[in-house]
Amino acid sequence: MSEACIITVAITGSVPRKKDTPAVPVTVAEQIESTLEAYEAGASLVHVHVRDEEERPSSDPEKFGAFLEGLRKHCPEMIVQFSTGGRGRGADQRGSMLHLKPDMASLATGSVNFPNMIYENPPELIDGLAAAMMKYDIKPECEIFDLAMLYAAAEMVKDGRLKGPAHVQFVFGLKNALPPRREILEFEVAQLKEVMPDATWTAAGIGRSQLELNHWALELGGHCRTGLEDNIRFDKSRLARSNAELVARVAELCEQYGRRPATAREARQILGLPATVAA
Ligand code: MG
């Protein structure tokens, strides 16, 4: 039997909506609609950022709450992951919505340069976010933008700041961070197996590396992330029409590697999340 692949859809991100990104869902209603379409296309996990009225990145717990409530109503089994990422948000706001108890939240376990800024994740902030995730029973997705972050995550599991088994995401193709080179992914996966043998992993490629990373992750036994947060083009010839279109592309690729898109129920099982969501 083929091995299930959890397809994550990163629907919005924090980069401002421009004229060339009309498909990026920005209002909560647009986000819910886009997520439901992506779910129908094969996604089982949604990674969420919200925006304020001027479409700037926001930490507004009310918006996160409205998204969670709206999605749960239509699709209670889908896994919801809130972003605690830094772009456009102060450090004190990055965990301000965790009390809403999403299934998961992202957690960068170190600092790295982004194209135009330092993505600052000092130890104190990482520990604070990890403690909040522990308190609210939220499974972190450890974001690995650079190699040291992998060992930092392993250390946190070892000393109990994070609950194991961990779930990590290897990120590639962001200017000033790791380039999309297959050897690096293979090395990271091999190291993961040494330092956290029971961990699960996924991979994300930014921009044109998105599809490449989808191929490699499927082949190497990982899970996949796609969506308009990371990449707005379908291919060289045109922009993506929707998050669902990018998800469908991964879902179709699965067979080539003896994989199939995980159902939300399977995804919950793989990640050790409760099968049913409390109302
Ligand atoms: Mg994000």
Side-chain angles (χ1 to χ4, degrees):
M1 191 154 130
S2 58
E3 196 195 336
C5 169
I6 301 167
I7 302 176
T8 293
V9 61
I11 51 169
T12 299
S14 50
V15 178
R17 174 152 71 171
K18 300 185 199 111
K19 282 198 191 74
D20 64 347
T21 58
V24 176
V26 168
T27 67
V28 170
E30 287 170 355
Q31 290 187 311
I32 292 169
E33 193 186 344
S34 187
T35 302
L36 292 172
E37 285 170 15
Y39 176 81
E40 291 300 322
S44 47
L45 194 167
V46 58
H47 172 83
V48 192
H49 294 245
V50 298
R51 303 283 183 90
D52 65 16
E53 303 314 320
E54 276 80 51
E55 303 197 355
R56 289 172 307 210
S58 163
S59 294
D60 186 353
E62 262 183 49
K63 294 236 158 141
F64 277 104
F67 176 87
L68 189 62
E69 195 187 329
L71 192 75
R72 290 275 192 252
K73 198 181 333 172
H74 298 287
C75 190
E77 60 273 18
M78 191 169 192
I79 298 167
V80 176
Q81 179 187 94
F82 286 171
S83 169
T84 66
R87 274 177 284 199
R89 289 193 271 178
D92 55 330
Q93 298 167 5
R94 287 173 49 184
S96 63
M97 61 341 205
L98 294 175
H99 64 280
L100 298 169
K101 300 185 180 179
D103 302 290
M104 299 182 76
S106 59
L107 179 69
T109 49
S111 302
V112 67
N113 279 353
F114 273 2
N116 302 306
M117 62 178 273
I118 305 171
Y119 184 27
E120 274 184 89
N121 293 291
E124 198 185 330
L125 174 67
I126 299 169
D127 287 349
L129 289 170
M133 292 181 202
M134 191 77 88
K135 177 177 171 190
Y136 296 117
D137 203 17
I138 296 166
K139 179 155 182 149
E141 177 180 87
C142 300
E143 306 300 339
I144 311 299
F145 289 92
D146 213 345
L147 189 55
M149 299 183 189
L150 174 60
Y151 305 103
E155 201 55 37
M156 292 179 79
V157 173
K158 202 171 147 196
D159 65 24
R161 282 173 290 162
L162 291 183
K163 219 190 275 176
H167 181 62
V168 311
Q169 171 160 261
F170 300 115
V171 187
F172 291 89
L174 199 63
K175 192 181 167 208
N176 296 329
L178 289 173
R181 297 181 68 105
R182 186 176 162 129
E183 296 91 331
I184 302 176
L185 177 63
E186 288 177 0
F187 180 76
E188 286 183 328
V189 172
Q191 287 294 297
L192 178 72
K193 288 191 173 142
E194 267 189 44
V195 297
M196 292 190 276
D198 55 356
T200 47
W201 67 274
T202 185
I206 309 300
R208 69 187 71 175
S209 66
Q210 181 171 73
L211 184 58
E212 204 167 30
L213 261 299
N214 293 157
H215 277 278
W216 296 343
L218 285 170
E219 191 177 344
L220 297 172
H223 302 284
C224 289
R225 165 160 147 168
T226 188
L228 293 164
E229 169 172 346
D230 300 344
N231 163 49
I232 57 165
R233 299 201 71 83
F234 187 78
D235 57 27
K236 273 188 209 143
S237 68
R238 68 168 174 88
L239 296 170
R241 293 195 180 94
S242 63
N243 278 304
E245 186 178 46
L246 294 171
V247 170
R249 176 164 77 175
V250 181
E252 281 163 28
L253 264 188
C254 281
E255 205 184 338
Q256 202 177 310
Y257 296 99
R259 309 287 299 274
R260 65 191 157 77
T263 63
R265 186 169 291 236
E266 286 172 324
R268 286 181 172 278
Q269 214 165 28
I270 292 166
L271 294 172
L273 296 169
T276 52
V277 177

